[in-house]
Amino acid sequence: MAPALVLNDEGQVRTLPPPSPPPLPAIGFQPGFHQALRWSYSVSSVTTFRMRVPVARTGDRIQVTFRSGDGALTLQRATVARAGADGSLLSTPVPLSFEGKPGFSAGARALVTSDPVAFPMKFRDDLAITFEVRGALAASAINAFPGSFARVGTHSQAMTALGGDTFERSVGVATVDVEGPTGRAFLAMGDSITEGYVDLRNDTRNAWPALVESQLGVPVVNAGVSGQGFYDALMLLDDEVLAVKGITDCLVLLGTNDLGDAGAEEQMETRMLLLVQRLEPFCHVWVSTLLPKEKTNYGAYEYVKSQRLSFNAWLRAGGTGAEVIDLESVMRRTGNVHLYLEGLGVDGIHPSTEGHKVMAAEVVRTLRERGQL
């Protein structure tokens, strides 16, 4: 079981009405892409990465935030361009700068944001971000960015296919902000279900947050982290979520990895309340019921079943005070709520690609019904 967390306000969860997030300017930067990047990946010699990422915001200028891993990072050059097939570019690479310089050096777990650069974007354009680095880069756990590559050497200006090796983990690039008319911008928090894990090779565009995004026409950036529970989500909230500027709404699907220990449901409720409390000054919070779980990662499966039902009942009864999206209701079998509907699960824990479509449809339905979208 994860260690205890110390609550604010002398151990009491706040009962006063939550403060409202600050109003947005008419024109400003908001995120069109985000990844939490919990893990670390190191290269000892200068290596060029070319990440192909979908950016869900329209505007005329962008900023890119890079994140170092568990050690020092030197970025010597970075460019942005429209992404072509197989690591090629559809436009001339535009250099990024950092306080007027072409690169930067940073210590472990640092966030470094580029200067704004003129680069027109349309909603869901694929952006090629190419950068030459040495050292430790923050990285995701799963392969979810097809069309991304890594090659030893300095190749950030290459217009043709980068070559080298496919590298489909999200690496180095934490956030892409786009300047334009401001509006609703969502951030999805969760575990591997939210990050988009289906099998060994995935596509972030098929994960439920991206499907919601494409249907609603507003950014829904993905801060899901495979394997996480409430403890690590709370401990790393500042850098992985609260550092993202311009978010108006947060979608939280978290708790699957907390199930299994005796007494876990009480700890889950306490931590969910604390998470909602910390998010409310930052965004309007929506929480989801937990999906079916057909087996256990650890602990007794009888605990997993009873705790999941208890936690979901508590959420539906308004235990957090936040808006509820009942994803379990559209994913479970009628005769056995612990099983996925046929075709909606892949391994007893994760939803299938079809399952992600069903989840997205329910999120969209709820947000249109109750979220003024």
Side-chain angles (χ1 to χ4, degrees):
M1 183 178 291
L5 283 167
V6 177
L7 300 183
N8 297 326
D9 304 323
E10 298 180 348
Q12 301 299 312
V13 175
R14 180 192 42 75
T15 57
L16 296 175
S20 298
L24 295 170
I27 302 290
F29 282 97
Q30 286 182 287
F33 171 81
H34 177 69
Q35 289 277 284
L37 305 182
R38 179 74 55 83
W39 281 267
S40 185
Y41 182 84
S42 294
V43 289
S44 57
S45 59
V46 174
T47 300
T48 302
F49 291 86
R50 178 166 287 170
M51 275 197 64
R52 181 180 182 134
V53 302
V55 179
R57 184 158 155 72
T58 298
D60 295 324
R61 294 199 302 168
I62 67 172
Q63 288 182 299
V64 180
T65 298
F66 292 87
R67 190 176 190 193
S68 56
D70 292 340
L73 173 68
T74 297
L75 182 148
Q76 60 183 37
R77 190 177 292 106
T79 64
V80 292
R82 302 198 183 285
D86 301 320
S88 65
L89 304 181
L90 295 180
S91 66
T92 303
V94 175
L96 296 176
S97 63
F98 304 85
E99 297 183 347
K101 299 176 182 179
F104 64 84
S105 293
R109 290 291 157 188
L111 291 164
V112 180
T113 301
S114 73
D115 303 323
V117 61
F119 194 90
M121 295 291 303
K122 293 182 180 178
F123 181 74
R124 304 270 293 178
D125 274 351
D126 270 3
L127 182 67
I129 307 172
T130 310
F131 48 100
E132 303 165 3
V133 290
R134 182 180 65 253
L137 300 112
S140 64
I142 68 172
N143 295 314
F145 291 87
S148 300
F149 294 85
R151 182 181 176 187
V152 174
T154 58
H155 308 285
S156 62
Q157 299 296 321
M159 280 286 296
T160 56
L162 185 68
D165 300 314
T166 59
F167 194 95
E168 297 185 356
R169 292 167 67 187
S170 180
V171 62
V173 178
T175 311
V176 178
D177 291 299
V178 181
E179 186 181 44
T182 56
R184 298 287 284 279
F186 289 73
L187 180 144
M189 283 190 70
D191 47 39
S192 54
I193 293 171
T194 294
E195 191 172 5
Y197 177 84
V198 175
D199 52 34
L200 295 180
R201 298 192 67 183
N202 311 280
D203 190 333
T204 190
R205 299 159 187 81
N206 296 330
W208 69 264
L211 298 176
V212 171
E213 175 180 271
S214 65
Q215 292 176 53
L216 290 180
V218 298
V220 184
V221 299
N222 195 327
V225 178
S226 293
Q228 83 167 337
F230 283 112
Y231 178 80
D232 30 345
L234 283 162
M235 290 297 293
L236 298 168
L237 191 68
D238 287 338
D239 284 346
E240 294 182 354
V241 174
L242 300 183
V244 186
K245 306 302 183 185
I247 294 296
T248 62
D249 297 75
C250 295
L251 304 167
V252 181
L253 172 53
L254 198 58
T256 293
N257 293 318
D258 296 82
L259 301 167
D261 285 321
E265 60 267 39
E266 181 179 348
Q267 187 179 77
M268 290 169 65
E269 291 176 9
T270 298
R271 290 180 175 174
M272 177 62 103
L273 281 168
L274 179 55
L275 179 62
V276 171
Q277 175 185 333
R278 291 192 61 192
L279 288 173
E280 280 174 332
F282 173 77
C283 59
H284 185 84
V285 184
W286 305 76
V287 297
S288 171
T289 52
L290 300 184
L291 305 186
K293 195 167 186 180
E294 299 178 0
K295 60 184 180 181
T296 179
N297 307 71
Y298 65 90
Y301 186 47
E302 291 306 312
Y303 279 149
V304 170
K305 291 191 290 184
S306 64
Q307 289 164 3
R308 193 182 68 85
L309 294 181
S310 175
F311 186 68
N312 282 351
W314 176 74
L315 290 177
R316 292 187 184 106
T320 65
E323 304 265 11
V324 179
I325 301 175
D326 194 356
L327 289 182
E328 186 210 42
S329 67
V330 296
M331 298 291 285
R332 69 189 183 194
R333 295 189 190 181
T334 303
N336 188 338
V337 298
H338 303 295
L339 301 181
Y340 279 101
L341 281 167
E342 189 70 32
L344 301 191
V346 291
D347 57 8
I349 295 175
H350 298 94
S352 63
T353 300
E354 189 60 33
H356 278 273
K357 294 177 183 177
V358 172
M359 293 168 66
E362 180 61 14
V363 175
V364 168
R365 186 196 68 78
T366 304
L367 292 178
R368 284 179 171 158
E369 182 180 284
R370 292 192 271 118
Q372 293 80 52
L373 280 168

